[in-house]
Amino acid sequence: WMLPTTFAPPMSASDRATTSSPGAPSMEDVAKLSVLASTLVVPQAAEARLPDEFVAFAPIVDVLPILPVFFLLLAFLWQASVGFR
């Protein structure tokens, strides 16, 4: 009883042409805007600094993003040691 109302039927090409509003941004425009926004945000993130209380831990913080790679390599080493069972 609920299944027929769950999915909408696909729109025909003529219906798509009449329902799309001319002022609505296309997916390409949205993608361009998101790339532009990310290029504006990335330099600010690169210049981020730790609070003064934690500056002493900066070398540890620099290494932390690499740790998942080491765990991945450790998994391969483990599997190699057990013969890739």
Side-chain angles (χ1 to χ4, degrees):
W1 60 271
M2 198 167 153
L3 190 60
T5 61
T6 305
F7 301 103
M11 294 176 55
S12 65
S14 61
D15 289 341
R16 281 190 216 129
T18 58
T19 57
S20 64
S21 60
S26 67
M27 292 299 286
E28 185 178 335
D29 293 336
V30 171
K32 288 179 184 177
L33 286 174
S34 65
V35 168
L36 177 65
S38 66
T39 57
L40 294 175
V41 172
V42 168
Q44 294 173 355
E47 295 174 4
R49 294 187 57 218
L50 288 173
D52 291 336
E53 299 86 17
F54 302 106
V55 171
F57 301 111
I60 298 171
V61 172
D62 292 339
V63 173
L64 286 177
I66 303 171
L67 287 179
V69 176
F70 289 143
F71 281 108
L72 179 70
L73 294 175
L74 181 64
F76 278 106
L77 181 66
W78 168 52
Q79 284 297 311
S81 68
V82 296
F84 291 100
R85 288 188 260 176

